[in-house]
């Protein structure tokens, strides 16, 4: 469904303004209590909406956009929201159908459409006051194909320790959770050694202490650790518009574990030294056998040379004897 250029359905703030302007007349005529919301409640609603901050966000799309464009928005408290999308195309703007959706639900009010040159603008205004209104809001431009821009509203994320926290039996450890630039209404800690989460609190055990230096962080101190304390711990934050949590893995080791590692390393060192010594002994024996072999060859060579010398001299001696008178 495409709205007319320049048209926008009356936002909640405008309706409240009209109700406020009509208040004296309604008071003078003393309407029945069931006809309208009572004046104090109506004034409370006005104050509630007019005191909210305005969050404005925009997305730009073109006819060459092949993938949806997304923008993640962190929202901690109720706010007035203004979402703007612009679509640039070289085609006919009148042939472009513009719609807004929350998830898969079509939104039919509180937005308008305008065109300037080759750019089509659309704006959607509303107010987020509870968790049900969080989620994804999309502006959709349909020409030959669909181009979509999506605004994802979510509560702030929590930050803990990404890697497992390794400690030893009998030690004291502190688990820390933070919320960057946000202030939860309440913090809660849970532990789980399986699929069931169990609340952790000061009243449960004197070994647990929950504290926080600042409102945007919480600390869980565990004293006299035992192997039963090992497992997953969750810090849980409650905001006006929803909840968020973070996971921290705690590993508790016995002192026998590093001892076993030390013994394993020592055994490897002993084995390595033994191999080196055996290699040296083997090398020396091999060299000794080679030296003995060389001496034996030299002795045999000498014996061979001596025997050859005796044989060569004997004929020469007999020849000399035959020449003499």
């Amino acid at each position: 469904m495409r709205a007319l250029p320049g048209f926008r359905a009356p936002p909640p703030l405008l309706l409240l303004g009209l109700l406020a302007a009509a208040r004296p007349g309604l008071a003078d005529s003393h309407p029945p209590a069931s006809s309208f919301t009572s004046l104090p409640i109506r004034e409370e609603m006005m104050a509630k909406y007019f005191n909210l901050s305005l969050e404005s966000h925009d997305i730009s799309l073109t006819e060459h956009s092949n993938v949806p464009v997304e923008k993640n928005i962190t929202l901690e408290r109720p706010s007035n929201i203004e979402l703007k999308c612009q679509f640039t195309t070289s085609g006919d703007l009148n042939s472009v159908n513009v719609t807004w959706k929350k998830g898969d639900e079509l939104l039919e009010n509180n937005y308008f459409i305008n065109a300037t040159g080759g750019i089509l603008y659309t704006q959607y205004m509303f107010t987020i006051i509870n968790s049900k209104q969080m989620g994804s809001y999309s502006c959709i431009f349909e020409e030959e194909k669909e181009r979509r821009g999506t605004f994802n509203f979510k509560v702030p994320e929590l930050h803990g320790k990404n890697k497992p926290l390794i400690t030893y039996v009998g030690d004291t450890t502190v688990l820390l959770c933070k919320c960057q630039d946000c202030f939860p209404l309440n913090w809660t800690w849970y532990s789980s050694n399986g699929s069931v989460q169990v609340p952790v609190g000061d009243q449960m055990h004197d070994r647990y202490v929950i504290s926080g230096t600042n409102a945007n962080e919480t600390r869980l101190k565990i004293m006299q650790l035992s192997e039963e304390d090992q497992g997953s711990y969750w810090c849980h934050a409650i905001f006006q518009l929803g909840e968020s949590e973070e996971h921290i893995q705690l590993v508790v080791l016995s002192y026998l574990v590093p001892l076993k590692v030390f013994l394993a390393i020592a055994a490897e060192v002993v084995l390595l030294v033994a191999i080196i010594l055996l290699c040296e002994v083997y090398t020396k024996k091999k060299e000794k056998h080679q030296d003995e072999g060389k001496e034996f060859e030299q002795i045999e060579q000498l014996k061979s040379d001596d025997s050859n010398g005796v044989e060569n001299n004997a004929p020469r001696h007999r020849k000399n004897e035959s020449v003499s008178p």
Side-chain angles (χ1 to χ4, degrees), residues 277-289:
L277 292 175
L278 289 175
C279 290
E280 290 182 354
V281 171
Y282 175 77
T283 302
K284 288 181 179 180
K285 286 184 177 181
K286 186 175 181 181
E287 291 176 352
K288 183 178 180 180
H289 288 312

Side-chain angles (χ1 to χ4, degrees), residues 27-90:
D28 294 338
S29 59
H30 301 286
S34 60
S35 299
F36 294 91
T37 304
S38 63
L39 297 181
I41 296 178
R42 201 164 59 239
E43 290 176 350
E44 181 182 348
M45 291 176 62
M46 288 176 57
K48 182 177 182 180
Y49 286 105
F50 279 115
N51 289 334
L52 298 181
S53 61
L54 175 64
E55 292 275 340
S56 182
H57 303 277
D58 59 85
I59 284 179
S60 297
L61 300 167
T62 69
E63 59 185 344
H64 304 294
S65 301
N66 296 321
V67 295
V69 178
E70 295 194 19
K71 187 172 185 179
N72 296 322
I73 303 168
T74 299
L75 199 60
E76 181 181 351
R77 58 183 61 87
S79 304
N80 293 315
I81 307 297
E82 179 185 57
L83 303 181
K84 295 178 286 186
C85 292
Q86 70 175 43
F87 176 61
T88 305
T89 179
S90 58

Side-chain angles (χ1 to χ4, degrees), residues 26-304:
L26 293 175
D28 294 338
S29 59
H30 301 286
S34 60
S35 299
F36 294 91
T37 304
S38 63
L39 297 181
I41 296 178
R42 201 164 59 239
E43 290 176 350
E44 181 182 348
M45 291 176 62
M46 288 176 57
K48 182 177 182 180
Y49 286 105
F50 279 115
N51 289 334
L52 298 181
S53 61
L54 175 64
E55 292 275 340
S56 182
H57 303 277
D58 59 85
I59 284 179
S60 297
L61 300 167
T62 69
E63 59 185 344
H64 304 294
S65 301
N66 296 321
V67 295
V69 178
E70 295 194 19
K71 187 172 185 179
N72 296 322
I73 303 168
T74 299
L75 199 60
E76 181 181 351
R77 58 183 61 87
S79 304
N80 293 315
I81 307 297
E82 179 185 57
L83 303 181
K84 295 178 286 186
C85 292
Q86 70 175 43
F87 176 61
T88 305
T89 179
S90 58
D92 183 11
L93 294 180
N94 292 322
S95 65
V96 180
N97 187 43
V98 181
T99 55
W100 281 85
K101 288 185 177 182
K102 180 184 185 299
D104 295 327
E105 177 187 355
L106 187 65
L107 301 172
E108 298 184 353
N109 298 316
N110 297 351
Y111 74 92
F112 75 91
I113 303 168
N114 195 11
T116 303
I119 303 177
L120 193 60
Y121 297 91
T122 181
Q123 182 182 37
Y124 179 61
M125 298 186 68
F126 63 108
T127 302
I128 292 181
I129 59 174
N130 56 49
S131 59
K132 293 181 180 179
Q133 294 171 297
M134 299 288 278
S136 299
Y137 292 80
S138 300
C139 57
I140 303 168
F141 299 89
E142 292 180 279
E143 197 176 16
E144 294 180 357
K145 62 178 183 179
E146 177 184 293
R147 278 86 174 181
R148 180 186 294 253
T150 301
F151 302 86
N152 299 312
F153 287 89
K154 57 183 181 179
V155 295
E157 294 182 351
L158 306 182
H159 304 281
K161 188 176 180 63
N162 295 329
K163 298 180 180 180
L165 181 61
I166 301 177
T167 57
Y168 293 94
V169 171
D171 286 352
T172 296
T173 190
V174 177
L175 309 183
L176 173 64
C177 254
K178 288 186 177 182
C179 181
Q180 189 70 30
D181 300 326
C182 61
F183 301 94
L185 300 176
N186 187 39
W187 289 99
T188 310
W189 281 92
Y190 295 90
S191 66
S192 89
N193 208 355
S195 58
V196 180
Q197 288 187 343
V198 180
V200 176
D202 298 340
Q203 68 279 5
M204 290 182 56
H205 204 288
D206 56 2
R207 296 190 301 113
Y208 298 146
V209 178
I210 297 177
S211 62
T213 306
N214 302 309
N216 67 331
E217 68 176 31
T218 178
R219 299 169 184 265
L220 173 62
K221 183 178 181 180
I222 308 176
M223 297 171 285
Q224 293 297 318
L225 285 165
S226 64
E227 293 184 358
E228 287 74 20
D229 292 317
Q230 177 169 292
S232 298
Y233 288 80
W234 301 82
C235 58
H236 189 90
I238 298 177
F239 300 93
Q240 289 180 273
L241 299 176
E243 303 176 2
S244 184
E245 62 183 11
E246 175 63 310
H247 162 254
I248 300 175
Q249 185 69 28
L250 178 64
V251 179
V252 182
L253 302 177
S254 168
Y255 282 105
L256 292 177
V257 173
L259 181 60
K260 290 178 181 178
V261 174
F262 172 77
L263 292 176
I265 295 174
E268 291 179 358
V269 171
V270 170
L271 180 60
L272 182 61
V273 171
I275 293 174
I276 294 173
L277 292 175
L278 289 175
C279 290
E280 290 182 354
V281 171
Y282 175 77
T283 302
K284 288 181 179 180
K285 286 184 177 181
K286 186 175 181 181
E287 291 176 352
K288 183 178 180 180
H289 288 312
Q290 289 177 350
D291 293 341
E292 290 177 351
K294 288 181 180 179
E295 291 178 357
F296 179 77
E297 289 178 358
Q298 290 176 355
I299 293 172
E300 292 296 322
Q301 184 66 34
L302 291 174
K303 289 181 179 180
S304 175

